[in-house]
């Protein structure tokens, strides 16, 4: 295991994560033994925009109902469950953090979705899947922890079917960089790899993608702007300091230190 990989896993690993999730649900007045997709949506979308941003990304990318999706960097499985439940998709999820995969599998069982979602521990830069396997590859705020984005984008292209959709949300380096740390994906700059929007577009084009668009301006909620008011938020999975980190992200966007991106690109048919 490389030093960078170990640092990323360490950043996201939490002790007794499933217990923390159950406790958060119970404290919110829910039955923690029988969670629904709606209950979990308040805490299982581990990016700053929460569930609303996942909905928006699925809509803006025009992900077809019933298609085969790779959730690349799936966390504890919120987007995977949303796609399987609401869009009848068959989903495969992969994440670098073993604890996330373990908890995602338990939540899939508890919500009756384990037959529609398959999970693996692994890296988005070395995907353990055959060529041209998926209709869609979805990544949400994963790329900021990936130094070798060319490998990430090349692998996404490889596993997509011709005509397939690649959609990723990303926070890029703004003209007034650096951003304010700690941030949701990094407590310090050593595991934060942002790149400029122009560089992201260039790497996607080099990987072979076409019709590359940034649709962040069309989003109902700005990626990275924080979860819906009144919800549990991502504290159970991401740490008690998550509200501060989300505030730093929002402030960095406002000050031009970060730029929100919601990319939709296509593998040529």
């Amino acid at each position: 295991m490389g030093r960078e990989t170990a640092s990323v896993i360490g950043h996201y690993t939490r002790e007794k994560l499933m217990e923390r999730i159950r406790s958060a649900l119970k404290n919110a007045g829910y039955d923690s033994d029988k969670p629904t997709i709606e209950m979990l949506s308040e805490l299982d979308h581990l990016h700053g925009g929460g569930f609303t941003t996942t909905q928006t990304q699925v809509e803006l990318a025009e992900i077809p109902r019933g298609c085969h999706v790779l959730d690349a960097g799936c966390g504890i499985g919120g987007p995977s469950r949303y796609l399987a439940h609401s869009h009848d998709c068959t989903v495969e999820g992969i994440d670098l953090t073993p604890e996330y995969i373990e908890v995602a599998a338990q939540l899939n069982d508890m919500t009756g979705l384990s037959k529609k979602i398959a999970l693996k521990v692994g890296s988005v830069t070395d995907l353990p899947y055959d060529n041209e396997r998926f209709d869609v590859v979805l990544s949400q705020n994963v790329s900021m922890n990936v130094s070798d984005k060319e490998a990430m984008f090349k692998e996404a292209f490889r596993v997509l079917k011709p005509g397939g959709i690649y959609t990723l949300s990303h926070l890029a380096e703004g003209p007034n960089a650096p951003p304010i740390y700690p941030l949701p994906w990094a407590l310090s700059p050593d595991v934060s790899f942002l790149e400029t929007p122009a560089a992201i577009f260039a790497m996607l084009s080099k990987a072979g993608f076409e019709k590359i668009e940034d649709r962040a301006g069309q989003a109902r909620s700005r990626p990275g702007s924080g979860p819906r008011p009144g919800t549990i938020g991502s504290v159970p999975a991401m740490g008690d300091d998550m509200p501060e980190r989300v505030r730093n992200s929002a402030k960095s966007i406002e000050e031009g230190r970060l730029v929100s991106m919601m990319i939709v690109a296509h593998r040529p048919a």
Side-chain angles (χ1 to χ4, degrees):
M1 182 186 298
R3 184 175 178 181
E4 177 186 318
T5 298
S7 295
V8 172
I9 293 173
H11 175 75
Y12 289 104
T13 299
R14 300 204 71 203
E15 293 184 3
K16 301 179 180 179
L17 176 53
M18 194 63 196
E19 290 183 24
R20 293 172 185 271
I21 290 171
R22 284 180 177 274
S23 178
L25 290 170
K26 185 176 180 179
N27 291 340
Y30 297 133
D31 183 347
S32 61
D33 292 324
K34 297 179 180 179
T36 64
I37 297 296
E38 290 74 24
M39 291 179 199
L40 292 174
S41 71
E42 297 188 16
L43 59 81
D44 64 1
H45 296 257
L46 304 185
H47 45 81
F51 174 63
T52 300
T53 294
T54 296
Q55 282 185 307
T56 300
Q57 187 170 357
V58 170
E59 292 169 6
L60 292 180
E62 299 177 0
I63 294 178
R65 292 186 61 85
C67 69
H68 191 188
V69 180
L70 173 62
D71 188 353
C74 64
I76 60 173
S80 295
R81 284 186 290 276
Y82 172 67
L83 285 164
H85 176 71
S86 299
H87 285 67
D88 196 31
C89 295
T90 301
V91 185
E92 299 191 47
I94 188 167
D95 201 279
L96 204 58
T97 305
E99 185 183 29
Y100 277 2
I101 294 297
E102 292 169 9
V103 169
Q106 292 178 62
L107 295 175
N108 292 346
D109 285 339
M110 294 169 78
T111 53
L113 290 171
S114 57
K115 291 183 179 179
K116 293 186 69 71
I117 304 171
L119 300 170
K120 289 184 179 181
V121 175
S123 172
V124 296
T125 63
D126 187 17
L127 295 172
Y129 305 107
D130 294 337
N131 295 346
E132 300 182 5
R133 180 175 177 83
F134 299 99
D135 301 299
V136 176
V137 175
L138 168 82
S139 284
Q140 295 186 307
N141 287 18
V142 173
S143 44
M144 293 97 74
N145 287 128
V146 179
S147 60
D148 191 354
K149 289 180 180 52
E150 289 192 359
M152 178 182 178
F153 298 160
K154 184 177 179 180
E155 280 291 271
F157 186 91
R158 178 182 66 79
V159 301
L160 273 172
K161 297 174 183 177
I165 300 166
Y166 184 34
T167 178
L168 68 147
S169 57
H170 177 76
L171 284 163
E173 181 180 297
N176 299 324
I180 304 164
Y181 290 90
L183 290 161
W185 63 92
L187 301 182
S188 60
D190 57 314
V191 289
S192 182
F193 310 100
L194 302 179
E195 301 291 353
T196 64
I200 297 294
F201 269 75
M203 286 186 279
L204 287 165
S205 180
K206 182 178 179 181
F209 288 103
E210 63 178 19
K211 301 177 184 176
I212 305 166
E213 297 180 78
D214 180 6
R215 299 182 179 175
Q218 302 172 42
R220 293 195 304 269
S221 66
R222 186 175 54 202
S225 61
R228 294 171 297 169
T231 62
I232 300 170
S234 53
V235 166
M238 296 290 287
D240 296 338
D241 64 341
M242 190 60 176
E244 176 195 2
R245 288 150 62 184
V246 170
R247 286 195 297 271
N248 286 345
S249 178
K251 186 175 181 181
S252 293
I253 292 169
E254 290 169 5
E255 295 181 356
R257 298 169 181 264
L258 291 172
V259 177
S260 297
M261 302 185 76
M262 191 173 283
I263 298 293
V264 179
H266 296 80
R267 175 168 174 164

